[in-house]
Amino acid sequence: MYDKKFILDEVNNIRREIGHDEVNIYIEDIYFNEDSNELWIITEDRPDKSAIIGKGGWVVGKLREKLNLESIHVESYGDFLNKEYKLKLSKRTVENLDLNLVGVDNLKKIINDKLDNIYSFNYENYLDNNKFDESENTEAVVALSGGVDSSFSLILAKSLGFNPTAITVDPGTIILPNQYKQNIRMLTEKLDVRHEYLKANYQDVIQESLSGKLHPCGRCSKNTGEIAKQYAIDNEIPIIIFGDMLATGTQCINKQGDALYRLNLPASLSTGKQEIKSLIINYNLKEFKGFGCPLLYEVHRKYPSMKKYSIQRILRETRSSALEPGEALDLIWSFYKTR
């Protein structure tokens, strides 16, 4: 319906109309989904992407209005090459697993299907159109914090037939605020997933963090992982699922013992933050600005130098393409707003 020349002519016309400089723009590919009325423009490189989006998103916004489209997605070809490479590594890793589980078989299918539709894959549409059988037995424990990444992981684990149990490690409201518990209740009820709170004593972490001896995130993550691991072992459940977005490719799933695996579900599908948000928006969960951990922000307030470790964490996700630069900037900026 649309070809490269048509889109380039329209983009350049809009740039002239709003006073933007004229530049040479190169498009690698175009994909139009007639059913959803969405257009994907795949540019040769990021500068071409920026030129089509325009300052403040003016160009692509006016293009969407002019073509009467539901949405336009502009991505660079290099970003897709990176994502495709990671997905191929995930595919090889998961297919080499000696695990005869319903959820794992379905995970293999969704990885292949995402590879086949790399430009236009949409989780909501995909899950609406592909209904997977569910295992009779619980195949996975999902560590659920109530944030976007872990909520996405539970939705996907349920949809892929892992028949999951969700657990939440609860060290108190200074780390797990009550508003996150509201999200947990809403999501587990809507998905009809069994859920347990596991009380935990993190006083050492809290005290050392508030005295400036350590940054809390690493220790909290380690403690939560150990508690989730022990729960899975005690209940003879073979997989623990986390919302980790960084452990992609060959590290998306790894052994935790003789009969236990850790699956970083968003990472296994090379999922970006916008993809996650696009799916969970349908579950009416409350979204929180920043990291949402009161302890972390209190540490930032008392010891501003600790912010650099939080920023390093954000930059790692940005380098991996899990976060877009604009999203990263919003997270960093949240550390400097009055709370």
Side-chain angles (χ1 to χ4, degrees):
M1 185 172 180
Y2 302 107
D3 60 26
K4 295 178 187 179
K5 183 179 183 306
F6 172 80
I7 294 297
L8 285 173
D9 287 345
E10 293 296 330
V11 167
N12 285 319
N13 287 337
I14 292 170
R15 287 183 64 87
R16 282 192 292 271
E17 288 170 8
I18 63 179
H20 280 13
D21 294 337
E22 290 194 29
V23 293
N24 291 324
I25 302 171
Y26 298 93
I27 293 177
E28 175 71 22
D29 202 357
I30 288 175
Y31 178 85
F32 176 65
N33 187 322
E34 192 170 357
D35 293 334
S36 61
N37 196 31
E38 293 178 289
L39 179 68
W40 277 260
I41 303 173
I42 314 303
T43 64
E44 287 194 355
D45 205 354
R46 275 185 169 260
D48 301 303
K49 172 181 175 178
S50 299
I52 291 177
I53 292 173
K55 296 174 183 177
W58 281 15
V59 177
V60 75
K62 286 185 173 294
L63 181 65
R64 184 189 66 80
E65 291 175 1
K66 192 169 186 179
L67 301 182
N68 195 28
L69 297 173
E70 183 66 27
S71 62
I72 298 177
H73 310 271
V74 188
E75 302 289 350
S76 75
Y77 185 54
D79 290 341
F80 276 107
L81 286 175
N82 185 34
K83 180 174 288 191
E84 183 180 42
Y85 179 69
K86 291 176 182 177
L87 279 168
K88 287 180 177 178
L89 292 178
S90 292
K91 176 181 177 178
R92 185 186 69 192
T93 302
V94 174
E95 286 183 346
N96 286 339
L97 290 174
D98 187 22
L99 284 174
N100 185 24
L101 298 172
V102 171
V104 172
D105 288 342
N106 292 335
L107 177 60
K108 294 175 185 176
K109 183 179 188 312
I110 193 174
I111 290 174
N112 282 317
D113 289 343
K114 190 169 187 181
L115 274 168
D116 289 340
N117 300 277
I118 192 78
Y119 292 161
S120 60
F121 188 87
N122 177 285
Y123 283 102
E124 181 186 2
N125 293 340
Y126 181 82
L127 295 178
D128 283 345
N129 294 322
N130 293 270
K131 301 301 180 184
F132 295 100
D133 293 333
E134 186 169 70
S135 171
E136 294 182 4
N137 302 315
T138 297
E139 295 182 349
V141 174
V142 177
L144 179 65
S145 69
V148 293
D149 300 343
S150 66
S151 296
F152 171 87
S153 297
L154 183 61
I155 295 165
L156 204 55
K158 175 68 175 179
S159 300
L160 293 179
F162 280 98
N163 190 7
T165 289
I167 60 168
T168 302
V169 176
D170 186 2
T173 54
I174 193 169
I175 293 176
L176 183 70
N178 287 327
Q179 57 263 37
Y180 280 85
K181 292 185 175 181
Q182 295 173 15
N183 276 358
I184 290 166
R185 178 184 56 79
M186 288 175 59
L187 185 61
T188 53
E189 286 181 357
K190 186 164 186 175
L191 293 174
D192 191 23
V193 167
R194 181 171 172 268
H195 174 259
E196 284 190 47
Y197 280 106
L198 305 180
K199 291 290 184 181
N201 186 346
Y202 280 25
Q203 281 307 307
D204 289 347
V205 177
I206 295 168
Q207 289 172 5
E208 290 186 42
S209 298
L210 293 178
S211 63
K213 293 180 180 178
L214 58 82
H215 187 280
C217 293
R219 186 76 66 83
C220 278
S221 178
K222 180 180 178 182
N223 288 0
T224 300
E226 289 299 321
I227 292 169
K229 178 179 176 179
Q230 193 57 52
Y231 181 92
I233 291 171
D234 292 343
N235 290 275
E236 299 181 342
I237 300 172
I239 293 177
I240 321 167
I241 290 177
F242 287 90
D244 190 332
M245 299 173 67
L246 293 178
T248 55
T250 56
Q251 300 302 314
C252 70
I253 187 166
N254 51 70
K255 261 198 162 183
Q256 301 285 293
D258 291 338
L260 182 63
Y261 288 82
R262 171 176 174 143
L263 171 60
N264 304 298
L265 195 49
S268 71
L269 289 156
S270 195
T271 308
K273 193 71 83 173
Q274 284 303 317
E275 288 181 288
I276 288 176
K277 290 179 179 179
S278 294
L279 178 63
I280 69 168
I281 196 172
N282 302 297
Y283 291 81
N284 299 317
L285 303 181
K286 186 173 181 181
E287 187 175 344
F288 309 103
K289 298 296 183 183
F291 281 94
C293 173
L295 175 61
L296 179 62
Y297 285 100
E298 182 60 17
V299 170
H300 285 173
R301 186 188 68 80
K302 293 184 70 175
Y303 309 101
S305 63
M306 286 290 185
K307 293 177 182 179
K308 69 180 181 181
Y309 301 109
S310 300
I311 292 171
Q312 284 174 349
R313 178 183 172 190
I314 294 168
L315 294 179
R316 284 200 304 271
E317 291 199 3
T318 308
R319 285 195 299 271
S320 73
S321 301
L323 275 178
E324 282 290 319
E327 296 170 310
L329 185 60
D330 287 342
L331 280 173
I332 293 171
W333 179 236
S334 74
F335 299 155
Y336 295 92
K337 292 179 179 178
T338 302
R339 295 182 66 83

